[in-house]
Amino acid sequence: MGSKHIAHSVHRVLLSEVLPYELPFFFSFRGFYNIADRSRMWIDKDGCVKSKSVVPRGKNLRDALIKMLNECKNEHTSFIYGINKNGKENGRELVLPHPYIGLLLVEFYRKYAGFMLNSCSRSNYSLRYPHHVAQNVRKVYKKSNVDTEEAALTPKNYFYYVPYKNINYFYESDLFQRLEGRYKYLFQTDMKHCFDNIPSERIAEAVYMNVGEDLKDNTFANDAYLLMKDMNCNRKGLAIGSEFSRIYAEIILQRIDCEIEARMSNEGYYQMKDYACFRYVDDTFLFYNEEKVKKLFIAVQEIVLNSWGISINHEKEQNFNLPRISPISVAKEKISQMLDDMLKCRLETAKGITRISQGYYDVPLVMSSHKYFQTLKEIVSPEDITIDKLTSFLLSQLKKRLKDRFKKLTNIISEYREADNAGLLDSIGKRLLRKNEIAAIRFLCELVKFVFFVFKIDMRMSTSIKVVSIIDMIIYYVNNELFKGKSNPSWKSLRDELYQTIQDEIIFILKNNTLKALSGLEICNILSIMNDLPSSFAISNDVIMTFIDHKFDETNTDVNFLMAFAILKSLKEPNILNGKKHLDEDVQGIIVSWLLKRLSLKDFAITDAESFYIIAGLMPLKTVNAVSKQDISDHFKKYNVSDLSTYRSLFMQWRGTTLHKAIEEKFAVDVY
């Protein structure tokens, strides 16, 4: 496995640096990127969007989009939405920038990439900072479900990050092991509401390392500040969600790191000698041997952070004896053991059948979802650990291990099928083949129940994304590996058994929850799974109506356009046959009507991010009638927004892609 060079287009910023990760599947900047990059869009010194290409494909669409964006050059507002955050009452607010801000970021990276890298290379504490512009993506095997060319278009980040891509790599590193051997204790804490409290206006002090440094016109610091202020709608702190915000925070936090280290040195205590401090975003790890060193460090850190308007989150302070054995690490080990047992392959090969003569027919994978429900609860309860601390690890490990088990299961069943095709199976062998096929589906059904159980007890956006990816992987495996090319009724009935289990789980969630601000988007994201199921397993109109609970009947704070788009994408398009309309049409009509009302309430203001995305989403949507589309077009005659209807996926990918591809785009690929 090697690497593949990717074209160095600064427009890649649109794919990796602008949008929050916590967005519904099928909503992305992929379509916007394709047009912007192909037509070489840029913003001149007067803020006007222009194109350097002569006659690109989709010229009319390009021209309409440029006209709309130029209307927003002097005024544009981001869209702010909420997600569930560890069960907190108010959740977390994320910022979805206006498309015009996306192009501003392209220009900023084009001009200041070097400044950003230099300003993030000063700290001896940081565990994650941008090192260079990413040039390659991880090369994938030909047999992979990920298309290499597609993957190359969606790198995780514009920059390559060192020394660790995420905190788990640090825990597993040789460095961490050496630190455990060198120091006796570890103290962990984080910063309270870090992104909300970081003083964005003091970016110049961080960049130029001078206390009280003023922002100056036409400088990197000034342009960065104005862009952040613009993105965050003039609110305090940083806009939460974008990678640009994380880099902005890193610049300021590295300045703070340098000041803390300097003060510690002045007191006679040195990094990697008397102590070792490391910071991952807003989390701090202090390794030490003497209590006086810890006390001094805490005092220094608090003084420096307070001088920047940031405070320590004392509620999250943790102390460990080294080697580190935390309740969470113990729980993770137990989860790993649970997954090993859950996915244990009970037949290594078809040749290993030894109990047939005794009337026993072993199958490769056997599972009881209820058993593992209980096991998971037993792991969490005694340790006094909330499930959200383990969910990401659990689902990530499950997905990773499941791929390996799928391969083994395919190999076993393939042996039987090849033997059957060659006429080598007797009646017992044929029964065993069928038993293995049935058992495979039953195992997957139980696995589906377990995965949905995890979501039910931890309804966060990150959890929903992982759950959808696992369910999609199961469906993809069944259709493209386990039952590839099989069409007889017996195989169809087995597939339908799996589909029915998935539908039942989704219906259960919908019936036991109503659409609301907290966890609403998370559940709507789960509905993306319906794109993998046949039309015969569509969720009924009544169930959807119960879930939305009249929330789209009037303007309220419980719903937003992202929820509306996610639900619409999960429904089947109206199918008028013999005068009968699809059951979903009532729901579609209600949601589309609400979206049109949102536009009216905003006076069709394309300077507003919500309105811009709704217009771009409604125009190509087949379920929007011609009268409504004409009404939208009449409000924007000078922009020719009717041309938007010719493009299926400017922001919301209504057609032309599968959930499987949308998931691969979401998870993207590692860059180098």
Side-chain angles (χ1 to χ4, degrees):
M1 193 169 78
S3 60
K4 179 180 177 65
H5 187 78
I6 56 177
H8 181 63
S9 169
V10 72
H11 289 96
R12 289 197 289 116
V13 166
L14 295 172
L15 295 175
S16 62
E17 311 297 292
V18 185
L19 301 181
Y21 175 74
E22 297 86 353
L23 283 169
F25 291 107
F26 301 104
F27 187 93
S28 75
F29 267 8
R30 169 59 66 88
F32 185 30
Y33 161 80
N34 287 337
I35 295 172
D37 187 57
R38 193 167 62 230
S39 63
R40 299 169 66 190
M41 281 187 191
W42 63 291
I43 297 179
D44 67 14
K45 62 179 183 174
D46 297 319
C48 294
V49 179
K50 295 184 176 180
S51 171
K52 293 183 179 180
S53 63
V54 182
V55 186
R57 289 177 292 169
K59 181 178 182 300
N60 291 341
L61 173 64
R62 178 207 65 177
D63 291 345
L65 184 58
I66 288 177
K67 287 179 181 178
M68 292 174 68
L69 289 168
N70 278 327
E71 184 69 18
C72 307
K73 69 176 183 177
N74 295 320
E75 181 186 352
H76 41 265
T77 57
S78 300
F79 176 70
I80 299 170
Y81 66 101
I83 61 169
N84 191 10
K85 177 63 177 177
N86 300 338
K88 294 182 179 178
E89 185 177 347
N90 298 323
R92 168 174 284 179
E93 286 189 338
L94 301 181
V95 176
L96 173 59
H98 193 284
Y100 184 85
I101 293 179
L103 289 181
L104 286 178
L105 277 169
V106 170
E107 295 303 316
F108 185 86
Y109 276 65
R110 190 198 309 271
K111 187 176 181 181
Y112 293 122
F115 281 85
M116 297 166 75
L117 293 172
N118 183 63
S119 300
C120 291
S121 62
R122 297 163 172 168
S123 171
N124 292 317
Y125 292 174
S126 182
L127 290 173
R128 182 185 184 271
Y129 59 91
H131 185 263
H132 60 261
V133 177
Q135 296 296 318
N136 300 292
V137 299
R138 193 179 300 278
K139 191 174 183 179
V140 295
Y141 292 111
K142 292 181 179 180
K143 293 183 179 180
S144 170
N145 297 331
V146 183
D147 181 80
T148 304
E149 297 295 334
E150 286 288 310
L153 292 175
T154 316
K156 283 183 178 178
N157 301 111
Y158 185 79
F159 296 114
Y160 175 62
Y161 287 78
V162 296
Y164 305 104
K165 290 178 290 187
N166 69 52
I167 192 61
N168 292 322
Y169 287 99
F170 174 57
Y171 290 138
E172 298 166 2
S173 68
D174 292 338
L175 172 61
F176 194 91
Q177 291 182 7
R178 291 197 302 271
L179 292 169
E180 285 190 307
R182 184 171 182 177
Y183 297 97
K184 297 178 181 178
Y185 311 107
L186 169 63
F187 172 73
Q188 287 183 216
T189 189
D190 72 0
M191 302 169 201
K192 195 170 185 176
H193 304 301
C194 179
F195 276 50
D196 293 323
N197 292 317
I198 282 182
S200 59
E201 70 279 3
R202 294 176 66 181
I203 184 70
E205 293 182 51
V207 171
Y208 303 108
M209 303 293 285
N210 293 323
V211 177
E213 180 77 28
D214 292 329
L215 291 164
K216 300 183 177 85
D217 292 339
N218 302 314
T219 65
F220 165 60
N222 186 64
D223 288 353
Y225 169 67
L226 293 176
L227 186 51
M228 179 55 65
K229 184 179 177 183
D230 194 3
M231 182 187 295
N232 205 31
C233 302
N234 294 318
R235 300 185 304 167
K236 179 185 175 184
L238 307 183
I240 299 176
S242 72
E243 185 61 30
F244 172 66
S245 291
R246 283 185 277 275
I247 294 175
Y248 198 108
E250 183 66 21
I251 293 172
I252 291 177
L253 293 175
Q254 286 214 8
R255 168 67 176 83
I256 292 172
D257 291 346
C258 292
E259 187 172 345
I260 293 173
E261 185 177 4
R263 289 188 177 225
M264 290 294 293
S265 298
N266 290 337
E267 295 291 334
Y269 298 99
Y270 300 95
Q271 169 78 345
M272 298 302 292
K273 180 183 177 183
D274 305 289
Y275 73 97
C277 175
F278 295 98
R279 175 186 53 77
Y280 185 84
V281 191
D282 62 341
D283 292 317
T284 302
F285 304 83
L286 176 68
F287 297 83
Y288 65 100
N289 288 318
E290 299 178 89
E291 189 68 19
K292 65 179 182 180
V293 176
K294 172 191 171 184
K295 289 181 179 179
L296 176 64
F297 183 90
I298 292 174
V300 169
Q301 184 188 38
E302 195 145 27
I303 290 171
V304 176
L305 286 176
N306 287 345
S307 72
W308 284 80
I310 306 171
S311 60
I312 297 293
N313 191 346
H314 294 290
E315 294 179 359
K316 290 189 176 182
E317 292 180 350
Q318 291 181 290
N319 293 279
F320 301 99
N321 293 328
L322 296 177
R324 176 177 176 265
I325 304 176
S326 68
I328 289 180
S329 62
V330 172
K332 285 182 177 180
E333 180 61 31
K334 291 180 179 179
I335 284 175
S336 295
Q337 294 171 2
M338 179 189 74
L339 294 176
D340 286 341
D341 184 70
M342 179 189 295
L343 302 176
K344 183 178 180 182
C345 196
R346 290 164 171 82
L347 283 179
E348 292 299 323
T349 172
K351 298 176 183 178
I353 304 166
T354 59
R355 302 203 297 166
I356 293 178
S357 60
Q358 291 138 4
Y360 294 100
Y361 304 100
D362 290 339
V363 293
L365 296 168
V366 180
M367 177 185 172
S368 166
S369 58
H370 180 74
K371 171 187 173 181
Y372 294 105
F373 296 164
Q374 295 301 122
T375 302
L376 182 59
K377 287 189 277 187
E378 290 170 4
I379 291 172
V380 175
S381 298
E383 305 291 353
D384 194 28
I385 301 170
T386 55
I387 189 66
D388 62 274
K389 301 293 185 184
L390 299 168
T391 304
S392 179
F393 174 81
L394 166 61
L395 294 176
S396 297
Q397 287 296 309
L398 175 58
K399 185 176 180 179
K400 180 180 179 180
R401 296 166 190 236
L402 195 57
K403 289 181 179 179
D404 179 65
R405 293 299 178 249
F406 279 169
K407 291 179 182 178
K408 289 188 177 183
L409 183 59
T410 299
N411 291 338
I412 292 169
I413 294 180
S414 293
E415 286 191 38
Y416 282 101
R417 287 177 176 171
E418 290 170 5
D420 190 33
N421 293 334
L424 301 177
L425 286 187
D426 57 15
S427 59
I428 294 177
K430 290 180 180 293
R431 288 204 309 271
L432 188 56
L433 169 59
R434 183 60 178 171
K435 192 176 183 70
N436 276 323
E437 291 171 342
I438 294 172
I441 290 296
R442 298 284 162 76
F443 166 79
L444 293 175
C445 287
E446 291 297 304
L447 186 62
V448 165
K449 293 177 185 177
F450 177 80
V451 171
F452 273 106
F453 170 77
V454 174
F455 176 72
K456 291 169 191 173
I457 59 178
D458 185 20
M459 288 190 181
R460 290 180 296 150
M461 198 64 185
S462 59
T463 307
S464 77
I465 291 171
K466 288 183 173 66
V467 166
V468 172
S469 71
I470 292 174
I471 301 300
D472 172 78
M473 186 172 73
I474 291 171
I475 295 173
Y476 190 93
Y477 167 73
V478 169
N479 290 327
N480 294 277
E481 295 288 340
L482 188 62
F483 290 150
K484 185 179 182 179
K486 307 295 183 181
S487 59
N488 66 49
S490 63
W491 279 305
K492 184 178 182 302
S493 68
L494 285 177
R495 273 198 297 260
D496 286 354
E497 189 174 335
L498 175 66
Y499 294 153
Q500 188 64 59
T501 301
I502 296 170
Q503 185 200 51
D504 289 344
E505 291 295 323
I506 293 174
I507 289 175
F508 180 88
I509 291 171
L510 295 177
K511 285 186 174 181
N512 288 274
N513 295 273
T514 56
L515 193 57
K516 54 186 178 182
L518 201 62
S519 76
L521 188 59
E522 291 77 357
I523 295 174
C524 290
N525 202 42
I526 288 290
L527 285 173
S528 301
I529 296 169
M530 300 309 302
N531 291 275
D532 273 351
L533 302 185
S535 297
S536 57
F537 290 91
I539 306 294
S540 73
N541 189 76
D542 290 342
V543 172
I544 297 292
M545 290 290 284
T546 300
F547 170 65
I548 66 177
D549 191 31
H550 306 288
K551 297 295 174 60
F552 290 107
D553 294 349
E554 58 186 68
T555 304
N556 62 66
T557 58
D558 282 339
V559 295
N560 59 50
F561 84 92
L562 292 172
M563 297 176 185
F565 279 4
I567 295 173
L568 286 175
K569 180 61 181 175
S570 73
L571 303 174
K572 308 303 176 184
E573 293 183 359
N575 181 22
I576 304 175
L577 268 177
N578 300 322
K580 294 182 179 180
K581 296 182 179 180
H582 199 283
L583 285 175
D584 292 333
E585 191 177 17
D586 290 338
V587 175
Q588 290 170 327
I590 289 170
I591 294 177
V592 169
S593 178
W594 179 85
L595 288 168
L596 291 168
K597 287 178 183 176
R598 291 296 299 167
L599 284 180
S600 180
L601 287 170
K602 294 290 183 76
D603 293 324
F604 293 83
I606 59 175
T607 56
D608 177 79
E610 179 187 15
S611 296
F612 200 108
Y613 292 124
I614 290 175
I615 293 167
L618 288 180
M619 292 305 293
L621 187 59
K622 288 184 177 182
T623 52
V624 180
N625 60 51
V627 175
S628 297
K629 289 185 180 181
Q630 188 60 51
D631 185 40
I632 296 173
S633 297
D634 289 344
H635 279 87
F636 305 104
K637 286 182 179 180
K638 65 178 179 179
Y639 309 127
N640 299 322
V641 298
S642 59
D643 291 321
L644 298 182
S645 62
T646 65
Y647 199 70
R648 64 193 179 196
S649 58
L650 188 58
F651 303 109
M652 189 65 190
Q653 302 173 76
W654 298 117
R655 305 181 305 281
T657 190
T658 63
L659 177 60
H660 195 71
K661 287 185 177 180
I663 289 170
E664 294 295 352
E665 181 180 330
K666 174 73 74 174
F667 285 91
V669 293
D670 290 329
V671 292
Y672 292 90

